[in-house]
Amino acid sequence: MADLTVCVGNIPFANPVIAASGTFGFGREMRNFQNLGRIGGICSKGLTLLPRDGNPAPRVAETASGMLNSVGLQNPGFTSFLANELPFMIDLGCRIIVNIAGNDPEEYLEMCRRLDATSVDAIELNLSCPNVKEGCMLIGSNPEMIEKLVAAARQVTKKPLWAKLTPNVTSIADMARAAESGGADAVVLINTLLGIAIDRKLRRPILRNNIGGLSGPAIKPIALRMVAETYRAVSIPIVGVGGIMSGNDVLEFMIAGATAVEVGTANLIKPTACQDIIDEIRAIMELDGVSEVGQYTGTLELWNG
Amino acid sequence: MADLTVCVGNIPFANPVIAASGTFGFGREMRNFQNLGRIGGICSKGLTLLPRDGNPAPRVAETASGMLNSVGLQNPGFTSFLANELPFMIDLGCRIIVNIAGNDPEEYLEMCRRLDATSVDAIELNLSCPNVKEGCMLIGSNPEMIEKLVAAARQVTKKPLWAKLTPNVTSIADMARAAESGGADAVVLINTLLGIAIDRKLRRPILRNNIGGLSGPAIKPIALRMVAETYRAVSIPIVGVGGIMSGNDVLEFMIAGATAVEVGTANLIKPTACQDIIDEIRAIMELDGVSEVGQYTGTLELWNG
Amino acid sequence: MRTIEFNCPIIDHESINGQTVVLTLEAPAIAQIAYPGQFVNLTSNQFLRRPIGIMNADPARGSIQLGIRIAGEGTRFLAKRKKGDILSLLGPLGRGFNLEGARRVITVGGGTGVFPLYFVQKVCQARDLEGIAVCGYRSLGDSFLTDQYKALTCQTLFASEEGDDMDFSGHAVAALDDLLAKLPLVPETRILTCGPEKMMASVAALADEYGISCQVSLEERMACGIGVCLVCACKIKRGDEQGAEYQRCCTEGPVFNAEVVEWQI
Amino acid sequence: MRTIEFNCPIIDHESINGQTVVLTLEAPAIAQIAYPGQFVNLTSNQFLRRPIGIMNADPARGSIQLGIRIAGEGTRFLAKRKKGDILSLLGPLGRGFNLEGARRVITVGGGTGVFPLYFVQKVCQARDLEGIAVCGYRSLGDSFLTDQYKALTCQTLFASEEGDDMDFSGHAVAALDDLLAKLPLVPETRILTCGPEKMMASVAALADEYGISCQVSLEERMACGIGVCLVCACKIKRGDEQGAEYQRCCTEGPVFNAEVVEWQI
Ligand SMILES: Cc1cc2nc3c(=O)[nH]c(=O)nc-3n(C[C@H](O)[C@H](O)[C@H](O)COP(=O)(O)OP(=O)(O)OC[C@H]3O[C@@H](n4cnc5c(N)ncnc54)[C@H](O)[C@@H]3O)c2cc1C
Ligand SMILES: Cc1cc2nc3c(=O)[nH]c(=O)nc-3n(C[C@H](O)[C@H](O)[C@H](O)COP(=O)(O)OP(=O)(O)OC[C@H]3O[C@@H](n4cnc5c(N)ncnc54)[C@H](O)[C@@H]3O)c2cc1C
Ligand SMILES: Cc1cc2nc3c(=O)[nH]c(=O)nc-3n(C[C@H](O)[C@H](O)[C@H](O)COP(=O)(O)O)c2cc1C
Ligand SMILES: Cc1cc2nc3c(=O)[nH]c(=O)nc-3n(C[C@H](O)[C@H](O)[C@H](O)COP(=O)(O)O)c2cc1C
Ligand code: FES
Ligand code: FES
């Protein structure tokens, strides 16, 4: 029987498949489609200290093998989340990661502090949301700010800290190194790529927010390259995200260097995506004669010359 | 009758559709498929001072709505090009742009000097090829180096200088501003995004060069966003490239701010792509009631708020 | 309610005109529980699914019907499918129309909005409610379901914007105005509307004028259709009257009481 | 030679086994000029076109045939097409086999390589050349075109790697070795081979041993198929013996004289 368990830092996961932030809500709706106790983990929708309305609609534009979104971190706010959503999530029976996005460093720290007292399994510092004007991506494209923020968060919580990075930078490896120096337990890459879609007739962006974040299979080759690049730059675990649609995709990310992965847009196309992907991984391991899924991680052999 | 002519700087083009470097050879093969005199222009395969063998095969990997290539600037060398290809190209009856890539600044300058004496219409400085270890992308991700190189080239040739930029940077607008400061007549964006494709069974990159450049519709939202962003940052013309497959795509790029466009990967799927796209533009202008194609350029109206 | 993914064969394909088709799909589980105003989310040859309102459900036959107008590549693909082809459906999705306590139901449809409201009238007939339908088309040539509507309802009013030989020459909203002016009012009347946002806003205003309760079926660009991605934001007035908040068209909607909708036009 | 894009209807679809089909396409312009060893580049449901060797061309009927083995999503889509479906083809592409001055032609095919070589034997028969065919299959159950090959050639040798009831038990290369050992040599013999690279390299070595001129049909990942993108690099020895250079599989190839090929295995 294939062993799908992996450890990200010290936390064991039943399998490497985690639902990505913003594509799974808080798990309430997805319960109708699959047994959430069987997936590796769920990453909450991105949370801000105060409730956020998010951006006006349209918030989605379809692109070739992908989509742009400009949700803009609509969420009930951190306090309401702790009271109304977290207890429900904890009961789901899988690992729970909480994705937080601050308007400024202090907001991140405030949320970290308050999460320290909960039973969440890890905190994902969203340093990469492209859909809000403040904080987030600004911090995420500056290594010094990343290191400082992660180090400060490290001081206020014992929870594992995952730094979720933006691909909209010249060197993702530099950002990952900064997160590592700051004391991050893992880096999560990638968040969405900045893009725009235009309505020719209206001569307007389709998204009311003008720009949005590109996700889906279109970005997979970029995400995979960034994981492979970062694997050579840091020694903390990498959680790979970007365009994963199948079990084979997951194993490609692991071969490139990921310890676990997050599945995002696939959930929106197929509500059973996470469960199906886990089943596919199991079948492929059988085929490949691999008994422990962790044996894939970082086994990419580069061609030389 | 729709007027498709555009001017990039001082050079008039019969229409805004230029065949992108590396996807049209030197025009010899494409003659069999369309009347090259009718397209706006052709950009030569990237040239280096000395002949280059390029990278070993496989050099292509298919991705969702796109492809990775790692040709590595295989070309007969600048001297052979001048003797054997350029005269042929000049005779084709459309604008000829020569794409050059140096191992170091001096190689760029040497080629610029020698092109000054020819009748090429513009020189495209390839500051963005991801498939060679030297020069190119290194220069292209550093604003100071871009500005210095363009300024130096400006000294040795009177030909219009187009700077072709890489999207693998935090701020493409910064790169474009640097090119403008250096005296570039236009910026061309974007070249390919760095990516990787992995063969799970072999645990090897599919490309023998390990990484390659991602092109095709998958990258269109990113290219379009970079054009829109750069349009607000510089006042020299922008030539838009990335994932264009249709006349509608061309007009989206123009609305975002492009004066002309380059069509790349589409040529590989459909050898009549450029001609078909020109016909589509004409039909859409009829529909839109637009008489001069230049009237689309930069008309994107952003949503505010 | 439990919605899941179904692979449903097309058992009938009726072409209404070059731009519009009615597909009948074998979907017993959906047919069993679907009610008017709900929708399904369908795969096509495009990346995202496409939301389409349920036009009819026949629990006995185990089938549902969808009326589809070609609007782009995705609906073109769907319209070109043939009998026997299989489509992946998620459904039934969303909150539909509320007919509780209604005695008279006036549906006001415009364009493809005429399709999902057909399901309303079918339920009205089954429940013995007085069904009145106003259907707005661009032109006579563009009209559809007219015989079916006539067979179901107590009264129909077909409006043609181009003024060619239909019941009413002009917009569906003007037709409704005309109708309401003549119609003796009865209590427990509901106006249910589906169509272009501008039309629905006018219908809502008219309903308000006449003091009739009104429900509207909003359309928003969607991805998941099941409430997890938050892209389908509709601006809805808060209960406490303190401004508005974004609610999910696919989950809290697509049908909302007209008075809570903050129109975007 | 002039190649353009054609939309060609499938006029016949023969399923050889679950994994392999032969499609007959109406493609008069291609049928007219195609010669053995050339290929077409086909659209599927995938992004890039797929190169497939021409298995047969019938100028009179205006049709060509393609033998396709399912290797992934693109070939799966192609194999599932039905009579009447239309495919976009670019062709004929590339340089095929050179039969000038040949008297005896020995084809050595492995797997799907057996398909394009069938066209060689057809031309041999038409030109009255002595055609001998060695066809290598994994097993009897996996074999195809055997009757057709028999009908065309002077001699056939069907090899099965699994050693089940075929002419020869073992690899096609061993079968060729066996054949050459027994066969009285005649001048102007050519060995033409198509199949896995390893097989072709062995065939080339064997041909060299026997002093027979040999042509090989290389396979390389392609995009355009028409010579503009340079992705299909084959390493070919330079005429001046100074190392090797990259030539285009789609344009200078896919067929090369064996002695200029720098094998990558
Ligand atoms: C709840 C709901 C019920 C609907 N019911 C019906 C129906 O019964 N019959 C019918 O013909 N149409 C209906 N529509 C509209 C239908 O979903 C769109 O026409 C369709 O998505 C267009 O897809 P396309 O690929 O043809 O067009 P494209 O313009 O190529 O679509 C591009 C993208 O925009 C989205 N989009 C485009 N137009 C609309 C639209 N009007 N509403 C929402 N998203 C859109 C698409 O879903 C896709 O993501 C309904 C929409 C919603 C939200
Ligand atoms: C000149 C030439 C002639 C050929 N003739 C035939 C033939 O007659 N019959 C036949 O069944 N097959 C033939 N092939 C192989 C056929 O092209 C591949 O099997 C097919 O491209 C695989 O596509 P896929 O989508 O099914 O597989 P995938 O593995 O999903 O393809 C992914 C990508 O890899 C490329 N690729 C995968 N395998 C090969 C391969 N072996 N050669 C080249 N590119 C590959 C595809 O073109 C595509 O770009 C030929 C190949 C070449 C180059
Ligand atoms: C609709 C939507 C909402 C998202 N919201 C968030 C979010 O709140 N926080 C975050 O860190 N990432 C968010 N993301 C990014 C995803 O978590 C993921 O990093 C990205 O989509 C790439 O993965 P994918 O291609 O598998 O979707 C969102 C993505 C989508 C499509
Ligand atoms: C096979 C291939 C070869 C390329 N070679 C070059 C080159 O030599 N010089 C260059 O500047 N860009 C080169 N490019 C990049 C294209 O010119 C273009 O910038 C890029 O592909 C994005 O456009 P597209 O999506 O329309 O292809 C190449 C692209 C491809 C696909
Ligand atoms: S479409 Fe995803 S929440 Fe409504
Ligand atoms: S496939 Fe493009 S040159 Fe051969």
Side-chain angles (χ1 to χ4, degrees), chain A residues 65 200 203 205 210 248 288 303, chain B residues 65 200 205 210 248 288 303:
Chain A
S65 298
R200 187 202 84 240
R203 302 203 186 177
N210 296 314
N248 192 59
D288 287 357
W303 300 101
Chain B
S65 296
R200 188 202 84 238
N210 296 315
N248 192 60
D288 286 358
W303 299 101

Side-chain angles (χ1 to χ4, degrees), chain A residues 20-22 45-46 69 73 99 126 164 190-191 215-216 241-243 264-265:
Chain A
S21 180
K45 172 69 194 163
N69 90 79
L73 288 181
N99 181 289
N126 181 348
K164 186 164 179 187
I190 57 175
N191 209 315
S215 64
V241 205
T265 304

Side-chain angles (χ1 to χ4, degrees), chain A residues 20-23 45-46 67 69 71 73 99 124 126 128 164 190-192 214-217 219 241-244 262-266 268, chain C residues 229 231:
Chain A
S21 180
T23 63
K45 172 69 194 163
M67 61 178 269
N69 90 79
V71 170
L73 288 181
N99 181 289
E124 189 171 89
N126 181 348
S128 43
K164 186 164 179 187
I190 57 175
N191 209 315
T192 54
L214 183 65
S215 64
I219 67 168
V241 205
I244 293 174
E262 292 183 3
V263 172
T265 304
L268 314 185
Chain C
C229 72
V231 302

Side-chain angles (χ1 to χ4, degrees), chain A residues 190-202:
Chain A
I190 57 175
N191 209 315
T192 54
L193 282 135
L194 281 176
I196 198 171
I198 290 175
D199 184 319
R200 187 202 84 240
K201 284 186 206 147
L202 301 179

Side-chain angles (χ1 to χ4, degrees), chain D residues 34-110:
Chain D
Y35 68 94
Q38 291 188 300
F39 66 99
V40 295
N41 213 5
L42 286 137
T43 51
S44 66
N45 59 345
Q46 303 294 295
F47 183 66
L48 296 174
R49 288 175 182 266
R50 294 293 185 265
I52 299 288
I54 299 174
M55 176 193 126
N56 198 1
D58 186 336
R61 200 179 163 206
S63 65
I64 61 168
Q65 292 189 299
L66 308 174
I68 301 177
R69 150 110 24 119
I70 297 179
E73 282 312 310
T75 45
R76 184 186 317 281
F77 176 89
L78 291 170
K80 294 265 159 76
R81 290 313 87 192
K82 297 186 191 114
K83 222 167 136 163
D85 285 348
I86 288 171
L87 297 176
S88 157
L89 258 71
L90 283 177
L93 302 174
R95 287 201 202 139
F97 293 105
N98 183 353
L99 298 177
E100 284 315 304
R103 270 167 59 189
R104 172 190 280 168
V105 174
I106 306 175
T107 58
V108 187

Side-chain angles (χ1 to χ4, degrees), chain C residues 50-53 67-69 71-75 112 219-222:
Chain C
R50 295 294 186 262
I52 299 289
I68 302 178
R69 151 110 23 119
E73 283 312 310
T75 46
T112 54
E219 238 177 58
E220 200 41 75
R221 283 182 184 246
M222 293 184 177

Side-chain angles (χ1 to χ4, degrees), chain D residues 160-242:
Chain D
S160 159
E161 286 179 49
E162 291 190 1
D164 42 8
D165 210 18
M166 297 201 86
D167 299 337
F168 185 89
S169 161
H171 198 275
V173 180
L176 174 68
D177 201 359
D178 203 56
L179 175 85
L180 292 178
K182 291 173 191 157
L183 203 67
L185 284 181
V186 303
E188 311 307 342
T189 297
R190 304 268 191 283
I191 294 180
L192 312 184
T193 181
C194 185
E197 187 166 357
K198 219 175 129 188
M199 180 200 91
M200 293 193 292
S202 306
V203 169
L206 210 50
D208 190 45
E209 241 175 67
Y210 281 87
I212 304 173
S213 126
C214 178
Q215 297 167 38
V216 301
S217 179
L218 299 185
E219 239 179 57
E220 201 41 76
R221 283 181 185 248
M222 294 185 176
C224 72
I226 58 171
V228 297
C229 71
L230 308 186
V231 303
C232 59
C234 293
K235 205 152 200 177
I236 301 298
K237 290 175 192 140
R238 284 186 223 270
D240 53 11
E241 300 285 318
Q242 303 228 339

